[in-house]
């Protein structure tokens, strides 16, 4: 079905055309008519499915033209997502006179105050800074008609739900609410019951398996050799752009500094960096000025960074959905091993949950010519290893034929 049959206004259809979209994605096909009809919608869809257009196009169609009161509020968990969604809204609405403001923390209030006071139809915001503006009287939500809670599970993870509730208290009860979340934990369930009216759930794009085109493997390694192996991998693979995921901000900084010393062009993305540092990192990575982006999940969640040649999980993600999400950034069919995960002994549990989640065992590999130290993980992956080891079913494949003996002794096979 084409976009023209989904009930969108002519100005928004023009916007869609200018964006170069030809066919609606599955979530757009399901969500757009429901939102046009006035229904509350819960979408369990991830980034890359086209969910921004799925909620933005029908709502912008209904807003139609500029009025001085704010009628649409979109809440986002991170500044980057807020900025990205604001850009998308401006693009979709380019043939309308609708006005949009974006507000998030980490930057001054001046420009945001000006934008809000000029009277905007749409606010895209992170919860904390929006509350500040409300409390300072810079914006009012009394005339709100549409509320979008994007990446609700991330807002929960980041401790924003109390702020979200405070904001909801300021919104009229009669409104249309859409909520997007990859998972629906009990706290989100409660929020849904409290904030939504007879919602329709759409479960498109909640992938549990990585794309077929992504080759992904695990490199078991002793903890002390993680950074050495990372550097050796970067040397060996022919990458154009690589994202390295770390679990903590501190870890991301440490890895980035090591790689910088090795003369890699590296950008870092995590929530302790200033807004302008984060913007420069993203822009530089997109432009190709940085070949490596070291990021934490929270900073990278939902960002539209696709088409990277390689993803390396320096740390195993703790949530299985994050594994799918991380490795989904790459998908080049022709390269061998698009996504690498470094696994140390204490990662046995999270790796087992990832494998349960995707319903498949991930192949273990070793790098040729790397002087491995012994780790019990190598034993775990041999046939006949003790019960309970995630790697029990297959042996480790060794590129180039090294055999790994205890205590760092190495001999040819
Ligand atoms: P999102 O899931 O909203 O972050 O969108 C992911 C990417 O898909 C963005 O770059 C969008 O511009 C793009 N996109 C969304 N809808 C369509 C569509 N119908 N056709 C082509 N590209 C799209």
């Amino acid at each position: 079905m084409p976009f023209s049959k989904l009930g969108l206004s002519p100005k928004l259809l023009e916007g869609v055309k200018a964006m170069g979209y030809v066919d609606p994605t599955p979530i757009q096909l399901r969500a757009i008519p429901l939102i046009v009809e006035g229904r509350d919608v819960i979408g369990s869809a991830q980034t890359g499915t086209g969910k921004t257009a799925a909620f933005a196009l029908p709502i912008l169609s209904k807003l139609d033209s500029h009025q001085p009161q704010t009628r649409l509020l979109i809440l986002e968990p991170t500044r980057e997502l807020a900025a990205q969604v604001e850009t998308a809204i401006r693009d979709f609405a380019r043939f309308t006179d609708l006005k949009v403001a974006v507000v998030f923390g980490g930057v001054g209030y001046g420009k945001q105050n000006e934008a809000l006071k000029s009277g905007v139809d749409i606010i895209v915001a992170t919860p904390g800074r929006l509350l500040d503006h409300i409390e300072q009287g810079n914006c009012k939500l009394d005339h709100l008609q549409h509320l979008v809670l994007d990446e609700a599970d991330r807002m929960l993870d980041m401790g924003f739900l109390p702020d979200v509730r405070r904001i909801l208290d300021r919104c009229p009860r009669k409104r249309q609410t859409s909520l997007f979340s990859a998972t629906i934990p009990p706290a989100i369930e409660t929020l849904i019951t409290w904030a939504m009216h007879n919602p329709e759930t759409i479960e498109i794009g909640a992938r549990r398996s990585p794309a077929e085109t992504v080759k992904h493997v695990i490199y078991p390694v002793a903890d002390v050799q993680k950074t050495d192996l990372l550097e050796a991998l970067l040397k060996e693979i022919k990458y154009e752009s690589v994202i390295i995921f770390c679990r903590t901000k501190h870890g991301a900084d440490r890895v980035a500094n090591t790689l910088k010393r090795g003369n890699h062009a590296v950008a870092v993305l995590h929530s302790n960096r200033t807004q302008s540092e984060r913007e420069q990192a993203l822009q530089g990575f997109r432009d190709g000025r940085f070949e490596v982006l070291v990021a934490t999940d929270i900073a990278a969640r939902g960002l539209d960074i696709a088409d990277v040649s390689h993803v390396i999980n320096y740390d195993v993600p703790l949530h299985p959905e994050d594994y799918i999400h991380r490795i989904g950034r790459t998908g080049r069919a022709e390269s061998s091993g698009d996504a690498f995960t470094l696994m140390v002994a204490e990662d046995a549990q999270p790796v087992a949950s990832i494998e349960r989640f995707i319903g498949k065992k991930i192949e273990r590999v070793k790098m040729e010519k790397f002087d491995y130290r012994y780790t019990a993980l190598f034993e775990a992956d041999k046939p006949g290893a003790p019960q309970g080891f995630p790697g029990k079913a297959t042996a480790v494949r060794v590129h180039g034929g090294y055999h790994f003996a205890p205590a760092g002794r190495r001999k040819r096979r």
Side-chain angles (χ1 to χ4, degrees):
M1 189 183 294
F3 274 106
S4 56
K5 295 264 160 58
L6 298 180
L8 299 173
S9 73
K11 286 182 224 165
L12 264 299
L13 284 175
E14 259 189 273
V16 166
K17 204 167 149 204
M19 292 291 285
Y21 297 176
V22 179
D23 296 310
T25 65
I27 187 142
Q28 291 162 3
L29 273 178
R30 297 274 312 276
I32 293 174
L34 283 169
I35 297 177
V36 166
E37 216 181 278
R39 295 288 306 272
D40 281 8
V41 167
I42 300 169
S44 67
Q46 297 176 343
T47 295
T49 54
K51 74 177 159 79
T52 314
F55 65 75
L57 296 175
I59 300 177
L60 296 175
S61 280
K62 288 173 157 218
L63 298 183
D64 187 51
S65 53
H66 176 63
Q67 288 177 21
Q69 299 94 0
T70 300
R71 289 171 292 151
L72 164 60
L73 170 65
I74 302 169
L75 290 179
E76 296 287 343
T78 65
R79 317 161 197 183
E80 282 81 9
L81 268 173
Q84 190 173 297
V85 167
E86 185 225 10
T87 306
I89 298 274
R90 284 189 195 281
D91 285 339
F92 299 143
R94 69 180 88 171
F95 297 107
T96 72
D97 61 351
L98 292 167
K99 286 183 162 185
V100 54
V102 62
V103 307
F104 45 68
V107 293
Y109 283 75
K111 270 196 185 160
Q112 296 180 4
N113 280 348
E114 267 172 46
L116 291 173
K117 287 193 168 148
S118 73
V120 288
D121 302 274
I122 303 150
I123 299 177
V124 186
T126 54
R129 177 58 71 93
L130 180 69
L131 267 180
D132 289 349
H133 279 294
I134 294 175
E135 271 149 28
Q136 289 172 23
N138 300 334
C139 63
K140 283 208 170 77
L141 302 175
D142 309 5
H143 292 87
L144 203 81
Q145 296 169 356
H146 302 273
L147 173 70
V148 178
L149 302 170
D150 198 14
E151 306 258 344
D153 48 355
R154 285 292 127 174
M155 295 212 256
L156 170 70
D157 287 353
M158 294 171 72
F160 289 156
L161 276 205
D163 282 353
V164 170
R165 279 178 169 261
R166 259 176 247 139
I167 292 168
L168 285 177
D169 278 337
R170 311 290 186 114
C171 299
R173 289 185 70 81
K174 191 171 169 323
R175 57 160 199 264
Q176 188 176 9
T177 308
S178 313
L179 178 141
F180 292 84
S181 199
T183 55
I184 311 281
I188 300 293
E189 197 103 52
T190 312
L191 179 72
I192 288 171
T193 315
W194 186 68
M196 299 184 78
H197 174 69
N198 190 23
E200 179 84 21
T201 303
I202 304 173
E203 277 193 51
I204 286 167
R207 322 178 73 122
R208 288 178 77 92
S209 58
E212 292 291 309
T213 51
V214 181
K215 291 194 177 169
H216 53 122
V217 293
I218 285 179
Y219 283 84
V221 64
D223 211 342
V224 290
Q225 286 194 301
K226 269 175 106 173
T227 314
D228 294 341
L229 183 62
L230 173 69
E231 289 188 281
L233 274 171
L234 285 176
K235 230 176 240 161
E236 191 179 87
I237 57 175
K238 287 190 181 52
Y239 66 88
E240 285 145 29
S241 52
V242 53
I243 304 186
I244 299 172
F245 283 102
C246 295
R247 208 173 280 160
T248 64
K249 302 168 202 175
H250 176 67
D253 281 335
R254 206 170 37 76
V255 167
N257 289 336
T258 308
L259 297 181
K260 277 181 199 161
R261 282 196 296 274
N263 281 333
H264 293 279
V266 186
V268 195
L269 195 67
H270 62 60
S271 50
N272 269 10
R273 312 216 76 213
T274 66
Q275 182 58 20
S276 76
E277 283 171 335
R278 289 158 77 164
E279 273 164 16
Q280 277 171 23
L282 263 181
Q283 203 47 50
F285 186 65
R286 286 190 175 123
D287 295 348
R289 256 182 302 128
F290 301 116
E291 51 186 0
V292 179
L293 178 70
V294 184
T296 57
D297 283 302
I298 287 197
R301 177 95 194 171
L303 290 180
D304 190 13
I305 317 172
D307 293 336
V308 300
S309 68
H310 292 80
V311 166
I312 300 180
N313 293 319
Y314 182 82
D315 297 311
V316 173
L318 294 180
H319 304 291
E321 314 89 69
D322 283 335
Y323 182 76
I324 304 292
H325 185 253
R326 288 180 181 188
I327 73 171
R329 304 314 179 109
T330 180
R332 298 190 328 161
E334 74 275 15
S335 46
S336 72
D338 285 314
F340 309 133
T341 299
L342 308 192
M343 175 187 183
V344 299
E346 65 184 35
D347 294 325
Q349 225 28 61
V351 166
S353 349
I354 291 167
E355 292 181 324
R356 251 196 319 277
F357 186 77
I358 64 175
K360 218 169 116 191
K361 178 148 173 57
I362 306 166
E363 187 183 5
R364 272 52 165 182
V365 296
K366 282 180 176 167
M367 205 186 146
E368 190 182 355
K369 293 183 193 142
F370 183 77
D371 195 6
Y372 278 98
R373 284 207 200 169
Y374 174 77
T375 151
L377 280 173
F378 299 152
E379 300 299 325
D381 280 306
K382 285 181 184 157
Q387 285 285 334
F389 267 106
K392 186 172 157 276
T394 49
V396 174
R397 177 158 66 86
V398 184
H399 294 305
Y402 281 109
H403 170 74
F404 302 94
R409 262 191 315 121
R410 213 181 59 182
K411 30 177 200 181
R412 283 248 177 222
R413 224 177 210 172

